[in-house]
Amino acid sequence: MEIKRENLIATLGGEEAVARMDSEAKADALEDFLSTELDKILLSTDPFPTVAQVEAKIPTRHYRMGAGNLFVATAPGAKVKVLPPMPEKPTLYDFFALRFAPANHVLQSAALAMKNGMSEEIILACLLHDTAQALLKADHGYWAAQLYEPYVPEKTAFAIKYHQALRFFADPAYGYEYPDLYRRLFGEDYVPLPHIRADYEMLKKHPWYEAPRLVTVNDFYSFDPKAKISIDPFREIIGRHFKQPKEGLGNDNSPVAHMWRTIAHPDMAL
Ligand SMILES: [Fe+2]
Ligand SMILES: [Fe+2]
């Protein structure tokens, strides 16, 4: 099994944080890293499960697979961590640093989109497309689109929303294949839910079909060890296209302010 060092280090908070850990803490951290459900799935070489086998695992867990990353520590015996407080007027950068981190997957997807010469609207969509997984994984594209709609161009929100439906459908014209990850997560005989199939039919005839399709094409799962994981290359695009509210995300009385507050304060009991 190949361990992706940079991915592991980023997960632990960076080189400096790792340097401060003793060897026992490092061993525990490595175990944690390999024990998360998604990493086990990504690294698995087992045959693909069936839908029935995927369903049979539900009552073996103490959480549901659709739960947001901030709300559950998936490794057996692991505990959630105390989160650093958010600034009074949080920006998108604060959410990336303090709640979405390490965010490797979306940063790499955006870097790939940039390398592939995508438009700024699509690069921004790639940067944000899976960040709502902090809140909820189930239907995350729809949640993310709603979360970002007041602040990003319409086409960016459209691309974020529908990347989720298009992920289930191959499109050889764009070189997009149905992902093995989905065979593992949903079962090899899985049929997408009716709303996903209906959105796919709608999208096939939509003039903006390409926007979410390009998010799926740049959806980057295999880690490039030479990739620099930073939000810096995207600061200009964010500055041009993300309408940061002056009161801070969560404080602007927008229809989605409560969603940002929940991400900022996931330990609120009610
Ligand atoms: Fe996604
Ligand atoms: Fe993704």
Side-chain angles (χ1 to χ4, degrees), residues 105-106 109 129-130 133 140 163 167 215 219-221:
H105 168 65
V106 288
S109 298
H129 78 283
D130 281 342
Q133 291 191 23
H140 67 276
H163 89 274
R167 283 283 276 151
V215 175
D219 208 340
F220 191 67
Y221 273 96

PDB file of all heavy atoms in Angstrom, residues 105-106 109 129-130 133 140 163 167 215 219-221, ligand 2:
ATOM      1  N   HIS A 105      -8.456  17.973  -1.647  1.00  0.00           N
ATOM      2  CA  HIS A 105      -9.172  17.537  -2.843  1.00  0.00           C
ATOM      3  C   HIS A 105      -9.660  18.711  -3.683  1.00  0.00           C
ATOM      4  O   HIS A 105      -9.462  18.739  -4.899  1.00  0.00           O
ATOM      5  CB  HIS A 105     -10.339  16.612  -2.458  1.00  0.00           C
ATOM      6  CG  HIS A 105     -11.256  16.369  -3.595  1.00  0.00           C
ATOM      7  ND1 HIS A 105     -10.866  15.686  -4.730  1.00  0.00           N
ATOM      8  CD2 HIS A 105     -12.534  16.757  -3.816  1.00  0.00           C
ATOM      9  CE1 HIS A 105     -11.873  15.652  -5.588  1.00  0.00           C
ATOM     10  NE2 HIS A 105     -12.899  16.303  -5.055  1.00  0.00           N
ATOM     11  N   VAL A 106     -10.272  19.715  -3.043  1.00  0.00           N
ATOM     12  CA  VAL A 106     -10.800  20.835  -3.833  1.00  0.00           C
ATOM     13  C   VAL A 106      -9.664  21.741  -4.338  1.00  0.00           C
ATOM     14  O   VAL A 106      -9.745  22.275  -5.454  1.00  0.00           O
ATOM     15  CB  VAL A 106     -11.865  21.658  -3.065  1.00  0.00           C
ATOM     16  CG1 VAL A 106     -13.159  20.867  -2.934  1.00  0.00           C
ATOM     17  CG2 VAL A 106     -11.379  22.138  -1.713  1.00  0.00           C
ATOM     18  N   SER A 109      -8.266  20.005  -7.313  1.00  0.00           N
ATOM     19  CA  SER A 109      -9.198  20.055  -8.436  1.00  0.00           C
ATOM     20  C   SER A 109      -9.124  21.431  -9.098  1.00  0.00           C
ATOM     21  O   SER A 109      -9.103  21.541 -10.331  1.00  0.00           O
ATOM     22  CB  SER A 109     -10.629  19.768  -7.963  1.00  0.00           C
ATOM     23  OG  SER A 109     -10.703  18.459  -7.424  1.00  0.00           O
ATOM     24  N   HIS A 129     -16.414  23.066  -4.969  1.00  0.00           N
ATOM     25  CA  HIS A 129     -17.445  22.084  -5.298  1.00  0.00           C
ATOM     26  C   HIS A 129     -17.769  21.068  -4.194  1.00  0.00           C
ATOM     27  O   HIS A 129     -18.910  20.644  -4.083  1.00  0.00           O
ATOM     28  CB  HIS A 129     -17.118  21.357  -6.621  1.00  0.00           C
ATOM     29  CG  HIS A 129     -16.079  20.280  -6.535  1.00  0.00           C
ATOM     30  ND1 HIS A 129     -14.732  20.523  -6.447  1.00  0.00           N
ATOM     31  CD2 HIS A 129     -16.196  18.930  -6.531  1.00  0.00           C
ATOM     32  CE1 HIS A 129     -14.075  19.388  -6.395  1.00  0.00           C
ATOM     33  NE2 HIS A 129     -14.938  18.395  -6.444  1.00  0.00           N
ATOM     34  N   ASP A 130     -16.795  20.682  -3.399  1.00  0.00           N
ATOM     35  CA  ASP A 130     -17.057  19.661  -2.366  1.00  0.00           C
ATOM     36  C   ASP A 130     -16.961  20.219  -0.947  1.00  0.00           C
ATOM     37  O   ASP A 130     -17.012  19.444   0.016  1.00  0.00           O
ATOM     38  CB  ASP A 130     -16.059  18.501  -2.497  1.00  0.00           C
ATOM     39  CG  ASP A 130     -16.431  17.531  -3.613  1.00  0.00           C
ATOM     40  OD1 ASP A 130     -17.600  17.537  -4.057  1.00  0.00           O
ATOM     41  OD2 ASP A 130     -15.545  16.772  -4.043  1.00  0.00           O
ATOM     42  N   GLN A 133     -19.157  19.363   2.046  1.00  0.00           N
ATOM     43  CA  GLN A 133     -19.025  18.072   2.729  1.00  0.00           C
ATOM     44  C   GLN A 133     -18.602  18.246   4.186  1.00  0.00           C
ATOM     45  O   GLN A 133     -18.715  17.319   4.978  1.00  0.00           O
ATOM     46  CB  GLN A 133     -18.047  17.157   1.985  1.00  0.00           C
ATOM     47  CG  GLN A 133     -18.618  16.699   0.652  1.00  0.00           C
ATOM     48  CD  GLN A 133     -17.821  15.596   0.002  1.00  0.00           C
ATOM     49  OE1 GLN A 133     -17.094  14.868   0.666  1.00  0.00           O
ATOM     50  NE2 GLN A 133     -17.954  15.456  -1.299  1.00  0.00           N
ATOM     51  N   HIS A 140     -24.327  16.671  -1.470  1.00  0.00           N
ATOM     52  CA  HIS A 140     -23.451  17.811  -1.152  1.00  0.00           C
ATOM     53  C   HIS A 140     -23.379  18.867  -2.247  1.00  0.00           C
ATOM     54  O   HIS A 140     -23.145  20.033  -1.957  1.00  0.00           O
ATOM     55  CB  HIS A 140     -22.044  17.312  -0.817  1.00  0.00           C
ATOM     56  CG  HIS A 140     -21.341  16.715  -2.006  1.00  0.00           C
ATOM     57  ND1 HIS A 140     -21.504  15.420  -2.396  1.00  0.00           N
ATOM     58  CD2 HIS A 140     -20.491  17.268  -2.915  1.00  0.00           C
ATOM     59  CE1 HIS A 140     -20.786  15.188  -3.479  1.00  0.00           C
ATOM     60  NE2 HIS A 140     -20.164  16.298  -3.820  1.00  0.00           N
ATOM     61  N   HIS A 163     -22.574  19.218 -10.550  1.00  0.00           N
ATOM     62  CA  HIS A 163     -21.448  18.286 -10.695  1.00  0.00           C
ATOM     63  C   HIS A 163     -21.826  16.952 -10.059  1.00  0.00           C
ATOM     64  O   HIS A 163     -21.415  15.891 -10.504  1.00  0.00           O
ATOM     65  CB  HIS A 163     -20.158  18.848 -10.058  1.00  0.00           C
ATOM     66  CG  HIS A 163     -19.959  18.522  -8.612  1.00  0.00           C
ATOM     67  ND1 HIS A 163     -20.484  19.276  -7.593  1.00  0.00           N
ATOM     68  CD2 HIS A 163     -19.308  17.480  -8.004  1.00  0.00           C
ATOM     69  CE1 HIS A 163     -20.143  18.734  -6.424  1.00  0.00           C
ATOM     70  NE2 HIS A 163     -19.437  17.633  -6.638  1.00  0.00           N
ATOM     71  N   ARG A 167     -21.511  13.423 -12.009  1.00  0.00           N
ATOM     72  CA  ARG A 167     -20.494  12.456 -11.561  1.00  0.00           C
ATOM     73  C   ARG A 167     -20.956  11.011 -11.795  1.00  0.00           C
ATOM     74  O   ARG A 167     -20.141  10.116 -11.932  1.00  0.00           O
ATOM     75  CB  ARG A 167     -20.207  12.631 -10.049  1.00  0.00           C
ATOM     76  CG  ARG A 167     -19.323  13.805  -9.689  1.00  0.00           C
ATOM     77  CD  ARG A 167     -17.861  13.551  -9.979  1.00  0.00           C
ATOM     78  NE  ARG A 167     -17.161  12.842  -8.923  1.00  0.00           N
ATOM     79  CZ  ARG A 167     -16.110  12.037  -9.119  1.00  0.00           C
ATOM     80  NH1 ARG A 167     -15.659  11.834 -10.336  1.00  0.00           N
ATOM     81  NH2 ARG A 167     -15.515  11.453  -8.110  1.00  0.00           N
ATOM     82  N   VAL A 215     -16.493  20.459 -14.125  1.00  0.00           N
ATOM     83  CA  VAL A 215     -16.132  20.201 -12.723  1.00  0.00           C
ATOM     84  C   VAL A 215     -15.850  18.709 -12.547  1.00  0.00           C
ATOM     85  O   VAL A 215     -14.869  18.324 -11.911  1.00  0.00           O
ATOM     86  CB  VAL A 215     -17.230  20.681 -11.746  1.00  0.00           C
ATOM     87  CG1 VAL A 215     -16.888  20.286 -10.312  1.00  0.00           C
ATOM     88  CG2 VAL A 215     -17.393  22.195 -11.837  1.00  0.00           C
ATOM     89  N   ASP A 219     -12.346  16.950 -11.375  1.00  0.00           N
ATOM     90  CA  ASP A 219     -12.523  16.414 -10.016  1.00  0.00           C
ATOM     91  C   ASP A 219     -11.357  15.451  -9.764  1.00  0.00           C
ATOM     92  O   ASP A 219     -11.282  14.380 -10.362  1.00  0.00           O
ATOM     93  CB  ASP A 219     -13.862  15.667  -9.968  1.00  0.00           C
ATOM     94  CG  ASP A 219     -14.471  15.650  -8.585  1.00  0.00           C
ATOM     95  OD1 ASP A 219     -13.751  15.856  -7.606  1.00  0.00           O
ATOM     96  OD2 ASP A 219     -15.695  15.410  -8.506  1.00  0.00           O
ATOM     97  N   PHE A 220     -10.453  15.836  -8.873  1.00  0.00           N
ATOM     98  CA  PHE A 220      -9.144  15.193  -8.816  1.00  0.00           C
ATOM     99  C   PHE A 220      -8.989  14.355  -7.557  1.00  0.00           C
ATOM    100  O   PHE A 220      -8.938  14.888  -6.458  1.00  0.00           O
ATOM    101  CB  PHE A 220      -8.081  16.297  -8.853  1.00  0.00           C
ATOM    102  CG  PHE A 220      -6.681  15.816  -9.066  1.00  0.00           C
ATOM    103  CD1 PHE A 220      -6.299  15.248 -10.261  1.00  0.00           C
ATOM    104  CD2 PHE A 220      -5.739  15.949  -8.059  1.00  0.00           C
ATOM    105  CE1 PHE A 220      -5.008  14.807 -10.454  1.00  0.00           C
ATOM    106  CE2 PHE A 220      -4.438  15.510  -8.246  1.00  0.00           C
ATOM    107  CZ  PHE A 220      -4.074  14.946  -9.448  1.00  0.00           C
ATOM    108  N   TYR A 221      -8.926  13.053  -7.706  1.00  0.00           N
ATOM    109  CA  TYR A 221      -8.839  12.191  -6.532  1.00  0.00           C
ATOM    110  C   TYR A 221      -7.457  11.614  -6.244  1.00  0.00           C
ATOM    111  O   TYR A 221      -7.138  11.320  -5.112  1.00  0.00           O
ATOM    112  CB  TYR A 221      -9.873  11.062  -6.603  1.00  0.00           C
ATOM    113  CG  TYR A 221     -11.182  11.524  -6.023  1.00  0.00           C
ATOM    114  CD1 TYR A 221     -12.191  12.003  -6.827  1.00  0.00           C
ATOM    115  CD2 TYR A 221     -11.351  11.560  -4.644  1.00  0.00           C
ATOM    116  CE1 TYR A 221     -13.363  12.497  -6.287  1.00  0.00           C
ATOM    117  CE2 TYR A 221     -12.514  12.051  -4.097  1.00  0.00           C
ATOM    118  CZ  TYR A 221     -13.525  12.507  -4.916  1.00  0.00           C
ATOM    119  OH  TYR A 221     -14.661  12.997  -4.359  1.00  0.00           O
TER     120      TYR A 221
HETATM  121 FE    FE B   2     -14.859  16.285  -5.904  1.00  0.00          FE
END
